[in-house]
Amino acid sequence: MAAPRLEPHLVMADQSGNIYDDPQLLMVCRRGGQWGLPRPDELMPLPEESELFLLPGRRAVGLNPESGETEVLEQLAVAAFAAPAHTLSAHPAYESETDAPLLPLFAYGAVGFAHGRFYVCARKVDQDPRQQFRRIPRGRIEQNVRRLLREHPDNRLIRHILDNCVLRYDCPAARNFALGRYEAPLPTSRACNARCVGCISAQDKDSPVAVTPQCRLAFTPEAAEIVEVMRLHQGRETATPIYSFGQGCEGDPLTNADLLVESVRLFRNGGGRGTVNCNTNASHPEAVARLAEAGLTSLRVSCNSAREALYQRYYRPAGYSFADVRASIREARQRGIFVSLNLLFFPGVTDTEEELEALARLAGENGVSMIQWRNLNIDPEWYFRLMSGRDGSASPEIPDAALDTAPSMGLTVFMKRLKKLCPWLRYGYFNPYLGDRAEITAPLPGVWRMPEPEARSALGAAGAEE
């Protein structure tokens, strides 16, 4: 006998911040411009180290199973911020008041309550425990910070990572550096050539985002300082050392390509081992080529969409185009670099037929090896308005109302169907350890071809059934 369908109740909060459920109303979630009940394949118990957020100015909405109608309550809506390695598949449904403030730059997952526990619309996409800290005492991290600062008093980059990123912002990558494990951050750039709507370290003066979660790097480190961080990390993380340019506290590292090339070359020439990675908007193909020659292992390219119009609306690039992004990916793949897409997943916009085809083409035609399924940290309603062109940025490629009616296939089905089209793709959440040089199965640029419509229909049906 099949198990009964899980039907979580609505979760809400009073003005004092007390969170409770309504046993008479069912949880309702939102995907883009559409509301509905959660799909059976997307509900999971709220992971450890997740958080619950109250949503000010937003009234909770639930479904009355007797009447089949949604009900708007006086209580506040509640969302879940899922722990790292989990990708959200739906946002909470709510009704915003006229003066509702813009939500801070976090990810907001639909959450409900059933059988004595919270459930969230999400999927675990990576088994790597690198950002789990619940069993590590805070005092141990702080002790390591004090010791490293004593041992390296003249290195500004070490001081920035430890003083600023660990002690001030609790950055997971910085905490791992303090612990001597996994992936070490290498912030290097003060400047950026994109004006991302959801940038977590800098905003335009006229941006409605009042507070960013981090402050941008205030100096440019020297190559010797960068290499000292890399060698220090290699000496402590001896099994799977990863070093990553491009962190949340900086601009885009490729705007400072000469420094990166010099640092990577110095590290490799001195016997440096491990995976050297660059997180970037991939705006400079020539810089990617030079980094590959210096000893770069992997390139993680951030994008909110494989459709140029939506990419432009979010990243607002200055001095580069989406064509440059594609060219950078091709340049990297042709030179043996493992390329990941840092896909900022947004339910109801990303998991659509239009995005599936565009993403398959971007990955297949240019040689992408991996998709990292990340959550887009942004106010859901605000982002959807921006992508729908309701802020005045509409373009012929995507009419104003197109996103409102685009059906969402859901994260799980979307992932399966993309894998059918591009079977070599690796899925995850974190930058993988690849050794000094990756073994790559992704096709070289120009080799892959999109299946014909009939074949795509068959693959889509197979993916939906699995």
Side-chain angles (χ1 to χ4, degrees), residues 136-256:
I136 300 175
R138 174 72 182 182
R140 176 184 164 192
I141 298 175
E142 293 178 351
Q143 183 180 31
N144 282 8
V145 166
R146 291 191 293 270
R147 177 175 59 80
L148 290 171
L149 288 173
R150 287 196 305 270
E151 294 173 352
H152 305 273
D154 299 323
N155 189 307
R156 295 171 300 162
L157 185 56
I158 291 177
R159 188 163 63 248
H160 169 78
I161 294 171
L162 299 176
D163 265 345
N164 198 56
C165 304
V166 175
L167 299 182
R168 184 177 179 186
Y169 294 117
D170 265 341
C171 168
R175 280 185 280 172
N176 277 331
F177 172 69
L179 291 167
R181 64 177 201 169
Y182 301 120
E183 183 175 3
L186 298 172
T188 56
S189 178
R190 291 180 289 172
C192 196
N193 53 359
R195 297 179 298 114
C196 300
V197 172
C199 180
I200 65 173
S201 63
Q203 289 287 334
D204 292 341
K205 292 181 179 180
D206 59 349
S207 171
V209 177
V211 179
T212 54
Q214 299 178 357
C215 291
R216 184 156 292 180
L217 184 70
F219 67 98
T220 300
E222 297 177 357
E225 293 176 300
I226 297 168
V227 173
E228 185 178 6
V229 172
M230 299 173 79
R231 289 174 178 162
L232 173 61
H233 188 62
Q234 178 182 251
R236 302 170 74 219
E237 168 54 279
T238 57
T240 58
I242 306 171
Y243 324 88
S244 280
F245 299 102
Q247 300 296 317
C249 59
E250 64 173 312
D252 193 272
L254 292 189
T255 61
N256 211 359

Side-chain angles (χ1 to χ4, degrees), residues 404-417:
D404 287 339
T405 56
S408 161
M409 67 182 73
L411 173 61
T412 298
V413 172
F414 186 84
M415 293 175 72
K416 289 178 179 178
R417 290 186 60 188

Side-chain angles (χ1 to χ4, degrees), residues 93-341:
Y94 48 78
E95 184 174 284
S96 295
E97 298 171 354
T98 304
D99 58 349
L102 192 72
L103 293 175
L105 296 175
F106 296 110
Y108 300 92
V111 62
F113 191 83
H115 309 303
R117 66 193 310 176
F118 292 104
Y119 283 83
V120 64
C121 289
R123 178 185 177 93
K124 188 168 187 177
V125 296
D126 205 317
Q127 299 301 318
D128 193 318
R130 75 178 64 176
Q131 290 190 9
Q132 294 177 12
F133 297 94
R134 62 183 180 275
R135 294 186 178 89
I136 300 175
R138 174 72 182 182
R140 176 184 164 192
I141 298 175
E142 293 178 351
Q143 183 180 31
N144 282 8
V145 166
R146 291 191 293 270
R147 177 175 59 80
L148 290 171
L149 288 173
R150 287 196 305 270
E151 294 173 352
H152 305 273
D154 299 323
N155 189 307
R156 295 171 300 162
L157 185 56
I158 291 177
R159 188 163 63 248
H160 169 78
I161 294 171
L162 299 176
D163 265 345
N164 198 56
C165 304
V166 175
L167 299 182
R168 184 177 179 186
Y169 294 117
D170 265 341
C171 168
R175 280 185 280 172
N176 277 331
F177 172 69
L179 291 167
R181 64 177 201 169
Y182 301 120
E183 183 175 3
L186 298 172
T188 56
S189 178
R190 291 180 289 172
C192 196
N193 53 359
R195 297 179 298 114
C196 300
V197 172
C199 180
I200 65 173
S201 63
Q203 289 287 334
D204 292 341
K205 292 181 179 180
D206 59 349
S207 171
V209 177
V211 179
T212 54
Q214 299 178 357
C215 291
R216 184 156 292 180
L217 184 70
F219 67 98
T220 300
E222 297 177 357
E225 293 176 300
I226 297 168
V227 173
E228 185 178 6
V229 172
M230 299 173 79
R231 289 174 178 162
L232 173 61
H233 188 62
Q234 178 182 251
R236 302 170 74 219
E237 168 54 279
T238 57
T240 58
I242 306 171
Y243 324 88
S244 280
F245 299 102
Q247 300 296 317
C249 59
E250 64 173 312
D252 193 272
L254 292 189
T255 61
N256 211 359
D258 290 345
L259 175 62
L260 268 63
V261 170
E262 181 185 2
S263 301
V264 174
R265 184 172 288 122
L266 280 172
F267 178 66
R268 293 299 195 197
N269 289 345
R273 309 294 295 176
T275 297
V276 181
N277 173 72
C278 184
N279 306 317
T280 175
N281 59 26
S283 55
H284 293 300
E286 177 270 339
V288 171
R290 292 167 57 209
L291 275 170
E293 293 174 359
L296 190 73
T297 314
S298 60
L299 190 79
R300 189 180 79 178
V301 179
S302 290
C303 65
N304 67 315
S305 174
R307 290 179 278 177
E308 184 170 3
L310 296 190
Y311 179 90
Q312 295 277 356
R313 291 181 192 177
Y314 179 79
Y315 280 86
R316 300 184 297 173
Y320 78 95
S321 68
F322 197 59
D324 293 317
V325 176
R326 291 193 294 267
S328 292
I329 296 172
R330 291 195 300 273
E331 192 73 52
R333 174 62 188 93
Q334 288 168 340
R335 294 174 180 273
I337 301 299
F338 183 97
V339 180
S340 299
L341 292 184

